[in-house]
Amino acid sequence: MTIPIGTLRARFGIVHGSFANQRRSSGVRARQFETSVPHPARPKTRRPPARPDTKPAKTLLATLLVAALAAASELPCAEPVIANPYARTALALDGAWRTIVDPYDNGYLDYRLQPYDAQEKPTGGYFLDRKPASPSDLVEYDFDTSPELTVPGDWNSQSEKLLYYEGTVWYRRTFDRPESPAGRRQFLYFGAANYEAEVYLNGRKLGRHVGGFTPFQFEVTGGLRDRGNSLVVRVNDQRRPEGVPTVNTDWWNYGGLTRDVLLLDVPAAFIGDYFLQLKPGDASRAAGFVQLEGAAPAAPVRIEIAELGVSAEAVADAGGRAAFDFALPGASLWAPENPRLYGVSISAAGDRVAEKIGFRTIAARGSDLLLNGRPVFLRGISLHEENPLRGARATSEDDARLLLGWAKELGCNFVRLAHYPHNEHLARTADELGLLLWEEIPVYWTIHWGDPSTLANARDQITGLVERDRNRASVVIWSVGNETPVSPERTAFMTKLIARARQLDPTRLVSAAMEVRRDPSDPNRAVVEDPLAELADIVSFNEYIGWYVGLPDDCARVSWAVKYDKPVIISEFGGDALQGFHATPLTRFSEEFQADLYRKTLPMLERIPQLRGMSPWILCDFRSPRRPLAGIQDGWNRKGLIGANGKRKEAFFVLRQFYDAKAAAEKPR
Ligand code: GCB
C-alpha cells in the first residue's frame, strides 16, 4: 500500500485439526500419527460444478480475459509502478547508504510521541538530514558520520549487532541529479522495503509504503536539486498482529532496503505497464494491453517481435490503454526443456521499452495439469529468498542463479517461491533457465481475517506481485497463502484474494498451500477437505507425516482421501537434518533420517491418484527464530536438502534420483 503525501507533482494514476495443529500445539512434537486430532467445524460446501470441456472453458477464459481487461481499466490505480524498471534509463541508488539504528523511533516521533512529519514545519526528525548551523547549534544525529549499510541488503546480516534487531533503521543516500532533457519525468523506485517505509526527499515527505515484498515508487519530477539530493528512508520491520505476515513466521523476516533502489527517468508520456501472453483459448495468438501514462488521447501503440515478423498496432483509449490481439506465426512455445524467449519491443508516444517474453499455456483439466496442452508433472522444490552461504536475504541476479542452479541440479522443472514475493531477478532468471514457478504472498498461518486493513494489505500484495510478474512465462501459479486455519472468515478473505488474482491475470492458475488431517475413524487415512480447495484451480497441501507426525515407517500405512477432481501438488513435506551429522535412520536430525523420510514419503505420495507435482520443504537450510536447538539448529531450520555450508545432504540425491526417473518417464518417445 503506497500512501503519497503532497506529491511534488501528481504522479501517474496518483501517487501513491489438521496434522499441522497437532505438531504446533505448545511446541511439543506429537509424534503419533494415531493421536486423535480435533478438527474445527467446517461449513458445508457445495461440490464444484462439473468442469466444462476444453472448448467452453476456453471461451470462458477468453471472456474472462476481456472482462478482466475492461474491469482493470476502471480500477483505481492502487499502487501502480513502472513495469520492467530494469529496462529504463536509471540511476542505480544501490551501494553504501548511511544508516542510523533507531530502536525508540526518536528520529520519527517527538517526546510526546507525535510524528515530526505531521507538523506543518517539522521542528525535528532525522529526515531533515540537518547539520548544525553553528558550533552552538544542537543536532544529535549526523548521517555523514554514521555507519554504512549496503543496499540492496537486509540489515540483520550486515552487522553482528543487528542479527536479531527488529525496529527502525534510517537510511540516507545523497546523489546528484543525472543529466536529463527538459520535460522528462523522474520516479524513485524501490524494489521492496521490509516492512514499512517512509520516504523523504530533501526534507519533504514523499509518502509511505506498507508491505515488505512488493515494489513502490514516487514521482519526483521537479523536486530534484542539481547537486546533493538527500534521500532519507525510515524502514521499520516491527512485527504487528494485523500485518501480512503477522507476528509469527517460521523464517527470519529480514529488515531493510532489501531490493534495488532506482531513480528512473522516462519521457513525459510513457509506457507505464503492459501485459502480453498467449490468448486464452487460442495459442496461435497473443493478447493483452499496453497502458500509457500522460499520453495524448488516441495515441498509437506498436508492439514488435522481430524474430516472428510481428508488428501490431492499436490505439489507446481515453484512459491510455491499448488492447492487443494478434497472430504469433510460428512461435516456439516456452517450456522447461525449451525456455524460448522472444525480444518484444513496445513503442508509443515517443517512448520505447524492450523486454524478453516467453509464450506458453498452463491449464488444469480434471486432475491433469497441462503445459502447452500436454500433461506435465511438477518436479519441484520450495525456496526461501535467502542465500544460505551468507545467511542473508537473496538480493541479486547472482543469488538467483546460485539458488535456481541448485534446483536445476536437483532435477527440478518447478520451484515454489515461499512464502512471500521474491525479488524480480528470481522470476527473470527462471524464465531464462526454464523453471516453472509458484509465487506466493505472506498470508501465513493466523492472519487477522476480520480486519479490513489486513485484507487491504494482502490485496495490495497480490496486486503488486501479479502486476510485476504477469509477463513471466516461468510463473504458472499464484498462491494466496500458506496453512491458513479453516473458518468462514478465512475463506471469505481468501475468496477475495483469489478473485483479485484472477481479475488481474486470467491466464494462470491459483492455489494456496492447505493442510491435511487424519480421518477420526481411520488413523491411517489422510483427508484433504477444505472449502479453499473448491475455489482453487490446484489442490495443494503441506504434509509432515514421518517428521511432525509419527515416523517415516508410518508412510507405508497411509491412504489418501482427496475428493477433488483437480491436480494435486504436495506443497511441502520434509524433516530436519544437520549436514554432516551421520547416525542411524531413526536418529532425528541425521542425514540418514531425512533421506529415509524422503525414500518412504515418495511412494506414499504416489498413491494419490491426482498427484501432479510436489515442492518438498526445502532446497536450503534457512534462518528461523523458532529453531533454537543448540548444536543442531542454532537458529536455522535444517530441512534443507543443502546445508548452510552449501553441501548437499543425502536426501538431495534421493530426490534427484526420483526426479530423474520421472523426467525419463515423461520424455516423448
Ligand atoms: C510448514 C510451513 C513452513 C515451515 C515448515 C516447517 O508447514 O509452511 O513455513 O518452515 O512447515 O519446517 O515446519
Side-chain angles (χ1 to χ4, degrees), residues 20 23-24 249-251 384 416 418-419 440 444-445 482-483 513-515 542-544 547-548 571-572 574-576 617-618 622 624 626-627 637-639:
R23 66 189 155 101
R24 290 208 172 83
T249 58
D250 185 22
W251 75 85
H384 265 296
R416 173 184 178 209
H419 283 302
E440 188 162 300
Y444 183 88
W445 292 351
N482 180 77
E483 292 188 349
M514 292 171 255
E515 293 181 321
N542 303 344
E543 70 80 17
Y544 282 92
W547 181 255
Y548 292 118
S571 30
E572 287 178 28
D576 290 55
W617 195 251
I618 184 174
F622 60 97
S624 170
R626 295 169 55 91
R627 309 291 171 174
N637 183 314
R638 299 282 182 202
K639 294 193 185 67

Side-chain angles (χ1 to χ4, degrees), residues 180-440:
S180 172
R184 288 178 65 94
R185 296 165 69 178
Q186 289 77 39
F187 291 84
L188 273 169
Y189 174 95
F190 295 82
N194 196 25
Y195 170 82
E196 176 185 283
E198 321 267 339
V199 182
Y200 308 85
L201 180 69
N202 299 329
R204 286 186 58 189
K205 186 165 189 171
L206 298 177
R208 175 166 184 260
H209 180 265
V210 178
F213 304 99
T214 44
F216 56 97
Q217 70 182 25
F218 302 98
E219 180 157 15
V220 294
T221 311
L224 293 170
R225 301 175 184 149
D226 287 344
R227 305 233 152 269
N229 289 283
S230 158
L231 174 61
V232 175
V233 188
R234 169 187 173 266
V235 184
N236 177 288
D237 76 338
Q238 240 145 10
R239 284 171 290 140
R240 44 208 94 191
E242 75 288 359
V244 184
T246 181
V247 292
N248 198 15
T249 58
D250 185 22
W251 75 85
W252 180 258
N253 206 16
Y254 296 99
L257 287 178
T258 51
R259 297 194 186 152
D260 298 314
V261 182
L262 304 171
L263 176 66
L264 303 174
D265 183 84
V266 293
F270 65 95
I271 296 157
D273 192 12
Y274 48 88
F275 178 30
L276 192 63
Q277 295 285 282
L278 286 184
K279 185 177 180 178
D282 184 354
S284 71
R285 299 183 72 78
F289 67 81
V290 174
Q291 177 68 46
L292 303 182
E293 302 299 336
V301 182
R302 178 170 298 280
I303 296 184
E304 286 168 296
I305 309 175
E307 292 156 287
L308 295 173
V310 167
S311 178
E313 197 174 283
V315 170
D317 66 14
R321 183 165 294 224
F324 281 86
D325 182 342
F326 53 82
L328 274 187
S332 166
L333 297 187
W334 186 100
E337 57 286 356
N338 176 43
R340 182 73 164 94
L341 301 174
Y342 288 96
V344 175
S345 158
I346 303 170
S347 46
D351 189 23
R352 178 179 174 277
V353 66
E355 167 83 287
K356 285 196 158 170
I357 296 183
F359 299 100
R360 53 108 197 89
T361 64
I362 187 77
R365 197 200 303 133
S367 59
D368 270 338
L369 201 52
L370 305 176
L371 178 69
N372 297 326
R374 291 190 35 209
V376 63
F377 185 90
L378 301 181
R379 309 185 307 270
I381 193 73
S382 294
L383 192 70
H384 265 296
E385 188 194 28
E386 184 173 291
N387 180 328
L389 306 177
R390 299 200 316 266
R393 263 276 170 269
T395 53
S396 61
E397 190 183 325
D398 283 351
D399 286 339
R401 288 193 187 278
L402 175 80
L403 296 168
L404 297 182
W406 280 336
K408 291 284 282 189
E409 183 193 324
L410 183 60
C412 293
N413 62 4
F414 172 61
V415 175
R416 173 184 178 209
L417 302 183
H419 283 302
Y420 40 78
H422 291 210
N423 66 60
E424 199 171 339
H425 301 299
L426 262 301
R428 289 187 176 272
T429 307
D431 259 17
E432 249 183 62
L433 297 181
L435 284 163
L436 298 158
L437 292 182
W438 156 310
E439 294 200 333
E440 188 162 300

Side-chain angles (χ1 to χ4, degrees), residues 380-381 409-411 573-582 590-602 616-619 621 638-643 647-659:
I381 193 73
E409 183 193 324
L410 183 60
F573 72 85
D576 290 55
L578 179 64
Q579 197 285 326
F581 172 44
H582 294 283
S590 69
E591 285 199 37
E592 286 71 11
F593 190 112
Q594 189 191 39
D596 188 50
L597 173 68
Y598 270 70
R599 275 189 205 100
K600 289 173 176 155
T601 297
L602 294 167
W617 195 251
I618 184 174
L619 183 63
D621 289 358
R638 299 282 182 202
K639 294 193 185 67
L641 296 178
I642 297 181
K647 293 191 178 150
R648 287 94 181 125
K649 304 178 193 174
E650 197 182 321
F652 180 97
F653 302 100
V654 174
L655 186 61
R656 185 165 80 178
Q657 201 179 23
F658 176 77
Y659 282 167

